[in-house]
Amino acid sequence: MASHGPPEIAMELHALSRAKLVHSFRQQLKASSLPLFGFVLLQGGEEQTRYCSDHVMLFRQESFFAYLFGVREPGFYGAIDVSTGKSILFAPKLSEDYAVWSGKIKPLSSFKERYMVSAVHYTDEITKILKTHYRGPGKPLLYLLSGLNSDSNKYSIPASFEGIEAFEKDLTSLHPILTESRVFKSELELGLIKYANDISSAAHIEVMQKTKVGLKEYQLEMIFLHHIYMHGGCRHCSYTCICATGENSAIIHYGHAAAPNDRTLEDGDMALMDMGAEYHFYSSDVACSFPVNGKFSDDQSLVYNAVLKAHNAVLSEIKPGVSWIDMHKLAERHILESLAKGGVLVGEVDAMMDARLGAVFMPHGLGHFLGIDAHDPGGYPQGTERPTEPGLKALRTTRELKEGMVLTVSPGCYFNETLLKKAMEDPTLSAFINNAAISRFMRFGGVRIESDVHVASNGCENLTDLPRETWEIEAVFVGGSLFLNSAFCLLTLDLLV
């Protein structure tokens, strides 16, 4: 648990990731009857200043580079010899001024020992060192990272350095193999993700305990951040980090520069917290929803329990071989059934499903891959087509689940004014909507429950440890821990001391 302190960071994790990549890469080359020569070459991240100022922004390593090498410092390159599996880091050569302004300059040997690589040289030696180590015919071959991240719809930028024109370049082979490697987590990776979940779970509980009417939304986020910093985590820079109350919680990505989370919490509001910690690059992504006055109303219970039923149903069905599309539809069905039972909707649920009514109340996908990025890549391998139906087109993956994957399960039910008005003008969808009942929920906002799960051999392991039942959440608000399970008790007592 978070109160027990952070786990040791084993750089063996990144050595194993490199070995996994080399194994897969060599298999691919053999299958394509290509020679087993060349270097995988990645360029790490660079420090950035704030626009034209000298204010240096907080540095975070490029994710593919972090996955293979674990390097925290900027300005590095990393190479892996495909023929031998040996790895080489290239560090920036720092001037004496660096020691004056930024601290002691580390020797190359310290990087070799810390990051468990075969050798370390300076970046101005890349051309010479790679030519020296190349054992194949002709120009040395570089496999560079270039490809589309299907989650962000942005492209990886291939490495570039002075003298690269002396090398042959392959810009197509590396990206799909390296992306697929990141989809399946090792036990060492799972340990880091679990710890990030521990401190995120405890932080969400602390937010509940310190929530009161009259606070600002951003104050809740500050409570969350204070806790994870105190417990050895750091905030992951993801646009899913939101704190929303009232009708703002129906806006999926609320809480950004154009719509800052500065609303005051009012009696009767539901709060939606979607935030997670990151530990040694590895993320968590957790969401909980609760009434800011600590007591669920009947309408709040109806919507919350609809989402909780969907959440729990999906967790009970996850196992290798299950279709993620089927899991999304399962969540939709449970939400629609609950809304129909509560009188918000009318008609047959099967007909609602056929009409894609679920997308009105849950416009986003059920979840996404999780790892070094909160939204990890690999959702749509090359050649995979996205669905085009409402709701399903928002899925971040449609893959069949396999052992070793880590995903978020985040069903939600939102009363978004734009979507509801559009549905009420649609002759097919409007037939299912009880206008009198739906009017009560126009300013309700929304509920989301998100847990991070590991697909195991015979089911799934829920890595997120939070009170989910309405009575458990209400107990947290009054400082009670005796009615929560043992994990919640430890966290709650730790926070109350």
Side-chain angles (χ1 to χ4, degrees), residues 197 200-201 203-205 208 224 236 240-244 249 252 271-277 284-290 304 307-308 311 364 366 368 370 408-412 414 446-452 462 464-468 473:
N197 266 272
S200 295
S201 298
H204 275 274
I205 291 175
M208 291 183 203
F224 179 91
H236 68 64
T240 56
C241 286
I242 64 169
C243 170
S249 58
I252 308 304
L272 195 166
M273 301 286 296
D274 188 339
M275 298 191 287
S284 60
D285 192 1
V286 177
C288 61
S289 302
F290 53 87
Y304 182 87
V307 177
L308 181 62
H311 169 274
H364 61 70
L366 177 62
H368 49 81
L370 179 80
T408 70
V409 174
S410 55
Y414 314 90
V447 167
R448 178 155 66 249
I449 300 173
E450 182 172 31
S451 298
D452 303 341
N462 188 355
T464 304
D465 202 355
L466 273 171
R468 294 302 196 187
I473 293 170

Side-chain angles (χ1 to χ4, degrees), residues 132-175:
T132 300
H133 283 77
Y134 185 64
R135 294 291 180 265
K139 281 185 177 182
L141 175 60
L142 300 180
Y143 293 100
L144 304 179
L145 187 67
S146 178
L148 178 69
N149 182 326
S150 63
D151 197 285
S152 66
N153 209 33
K154 296 181 179 179
Y155 285 86
S156 299
I157 300 175
S160 179
F161 60 92
E162 188 174 348
I164 195 171
E165 62 277 359
F167 296 82
E168 296 286 351
K169 295 176 283 293
D170 181 318
L171 294 169
T172 60
S173 300
L174 178 59
H175 189 272

